[in-house]
Amino acid sequence: METTNLNKQFPLMIPYITPDDIAAVTEVLQSGMLIQGKHVGLLENKIRQIANVKEAVAVSNGTATLHLALISLGIGKGDEVIVPAFSYVATANVVELVGATPVFVDIDSDTFNIDVSKIKAVITEKTKAIIPVHEFGLACNISEVISIALTNKIHVIEDAACALGAKENEQPVGSFGIVASFSLHPRKSVTSGEGGIITTNNQELAAKFRALRNHGIDSENTDSMEFILAGYNYRLTDFQAAFVNSQLERFDQILTQKQMLADVYLNELDASVMKLPVVPDGKNHTWQTFHVVLEEKINRAQLIAALKERGIGSNYGAQCIPATKYYQEKYGFNNKASFPYAYRAYTSGLALPLYYGLTKEDVKYIATEINKSIKNDL
């Protein structure tokens, strides 16, 4: 097996792009109709079906979806928004950008999702929303989050950036909260390079999203160009949408392949020296990232370097956001005490290659090299 794979390279992620995908983009480029158009509308229709929602609005990136959600819900200065302590930093940055204050909650050590049991303790009269993240492609305990939010009259904005296709008890993520956010970044199962989708069942909010993404133009009045809001240029191009639409034709195939590869990792990696991801009953995992947590005695930087020499890409998976420089300097958190699991996942976590182009043999090789490198380190 080593001889077969020794000269191959396994980066952390390679988007699955086919000649049909390239042809779809080329067709739009040759048409000359490059900005938001019919392919954006088709993409929105497809995402509506996957997420089982009434409305989907395509925008320029995943961060823009969260930004528009907070603005449209009237969240700003003096408000508090609950976010998990472990996620990509954008989840909290958008809260800062609208002038509100992020209130961090630690994660569950098995799933890397927000620890629902700790949410009630941080709710105050200033709490206006919670942004639960479906981390790495696994649905959080979203039904419980919704129940807490309803009791306390706060909005739920799902950060489903990694989790298109994920479900809790057969209900798709993106359909639980008042608003949800999906990303089309290259590390996702389907990509537009940069792009995002907002989903909602609230038609008034959807109309506001459409206006705000396009400089504030009234999207409901197609007879005249009326500027009803101070908006942004958060549009998605038509060639980006065509690119994603082509990939969505094989979306189920992509998710099936990633599950098969994740199963290989789960069987082959040495669980005595790392904590493997857990998928609770009633949920599926879309495996945007296969993330493990190494034993503290393992030198992660040294392991990453050793794997790189073998052509295997790896990196930490997400941030303990309150431990990053900006948030630490502004708020001065005691991260080990307040967010022990988020901090541990940040400092000892490792994301491994997992994408459609890999084979079972590739993943077995990668797992073998990881086990071997850790053993040599210890």
Side-chain angles (χ1 to χ4, degrees):
M1 184 161 52
E2 287 189 16
T3 303
T4 303
N5 292 281
L6 191 58
N7 295 319
K8 291 184 70 174
Q9 298 293 311
F10 304 103
L12 193 57
M13 175 61 183
I14 301 177
Y16 176 29
I17 300 171
T18 70
D20 285 345
D21 301 337
I22 297 170
V25 174
T26 301
E27 182 180 352
V28 178
L29 295 177
Q30 290 175 336
S31 76
M33 303 296 291
L34 305 187
I35 62 170
Q36 182 177 289
K38 66 177 183 180
H39 293 283
V40 169
L42 179 59
L43 172 60
E44 291 172 340
N45 285 334
K46 289 184 175 183
I47 298 301
R48 272 198 291 265
Q49 293 174 19
I50 293 172
N52 192 25
V53 291
K54 293 179 181 177
E55 301 284 348
V57 180
V59 295
S60 54
N61 58 69
T63 305
T65 64
L66 294 172
H67 189 208
L68 293 183
L70 290 169
I71 291 169
S72 298
L73 292 170
I75 295 169
K77 187 175 181 180
D79 296 332
E80 294 178 349
V81 179
I82 298 170
V83 298
F86 185 69
S87 178
Y88 188 63
V89 71
T91 308
N93 281 354
V94 290
V95 179
E96 290 277 319
L97 290 173
V98 299
T101 300
V103 177
F104 296 104
V105 172
D106 203 12
I107 57 168
D108 175 85
S109 62
D110 285 337
T111 64
F112 308 113
N113 285 321
I114 191 166
D115 185 341
V116 178
S117 69
K118 297 180 179 178
I119 293 174
K120 292 180 183 178
V122 301
I123 294 174
T124 72
E125 61 182 12
K126 295 181 179 180
T127 306
K128 296 298 186 293
I130 179 169
I131 307 179
V133 179
H134 305 296
E135 191 63 47
F136 299 139
L138 175 68
C140 70
N141 291 336
I142 186 64
S143 295
E144 294 181 53
V145 173
I146 295 292
S147 177
I148 294 169
L150 286 173
T151 301
N152 291 275
K153 298 180 180 179
I154 58 179
H155 295 302
V156 175
I157 303 169
E158 293 178 72
D159 185 339
C162 304
L164 184 65
K167 298 177 181 179
E168 179 184 83
N169 296 324
E170 297 305 315
Q171 181 175 345
V173 303
S175 65
F176 288 87
I178 189 169
V179 182
S181 159
F182 293 97
S183 171
L184 298 172
H185 181 272
R187 282 192 63 190
K188 313 311 178 190
S189 294
V190 293
T191 180
S192 56
E194 288 285 4
I197 306 286
I198 318 171
T199 59
T200 183
N201 286 311
N202 185 308
Q203 293 178 319
E204 290 184 10
L205 277 177
K208 198 167 187 178
F209 297 150
R210 292 190 177 99
L212 285 170
R213 74 174 170 183
N214 192 21
H215 300 287
I217 297 174
D218 185 1
S219 63
E220 302 294 292
N221 184 357
T222 57
D223 295 329
S224 64
M225 187 179 290
E226 187 63 55
F227 294 87
I228 59 174
L229 294 168
Y232 306 86
N233 182 0
Y234 278 170
R235 295 180 304 234
L236 187 72
T237 65
D238 230 34
F239 57 87
Q240 286 175 297
F243 186 42
V244 183
N245 287 334
S246 180
Q247 295 166 61
L248 283 171
E249 294 299 315
R250 56 183 186 276
F251 183 55
D252 290 342
Q253 178 185 348
I254 291 170
L255 294 187
T256 298
Q257 176 76 0
K258 293 177 81 172
Q259 180 62 62
M260 180 193 72
L261 298 175
D263 289 339
V264 176
Y265 272 134
L266 291 169
N267 288 326
E268 298 291 332
L269 287 170
D270 185 355
S272 70
V273 292
M274 68 186 76
K275 184 173 178 56
L276 300 177
V278 174
V279 182
D281 291 340
K283 301 183 183 185
N284 68 307
H285 205 311
T286 59
W287 300 108
Q288 186 262 344
T289 298
F290 191 94
H291 185 266
V292 301
V293 178
L294 304 169
E295 290 290 320
E296 290 186 275
K297 58 188 176 182
I298 298 169
N299 186 317
R300 182 176 65 177
Q302 186 173 309
L303 176 59
I304 290 173
L307 294 176
K308 185 177 180 180
E309 290 181 359
R310 305 291 288 174
I312 299 169
S314 60
N315 208 334
Y316 67 89
Q319 292 84 36
C320 176
I321 302 174
T324 59
K325 185 175 181 179
Y326 170 82
Y327 291 94
Q328 189 59 41
E329 290 184 350
K330 183 172 182 178
Y331 297 104
F333 296 107
N334 183 338
N335 296 290
K336 288 185 178 181
S338 299
F339 319 109
Y341 294 123
Y343 191 72
R344 178 99 161 80
Y346 178 41
T347 55
S348 296
L350 190 68
L352 306 178
L354 182 62
Y355 46 90
Y356 185 85
L358 290 173
T359 66
K360 285 184 177 181
E361 290 70 28
D362 291 334
V363 175
K364 285 182 180 179
Y365 168 77
I366 293 168
T368 298
E369 291 304 313
I370 292 170
N371 293 338
K372 185 191 303 180
S373 296
I374 292 175
K375 183 178 180 181
N376 291 339
D377 182 30
L378 295 177

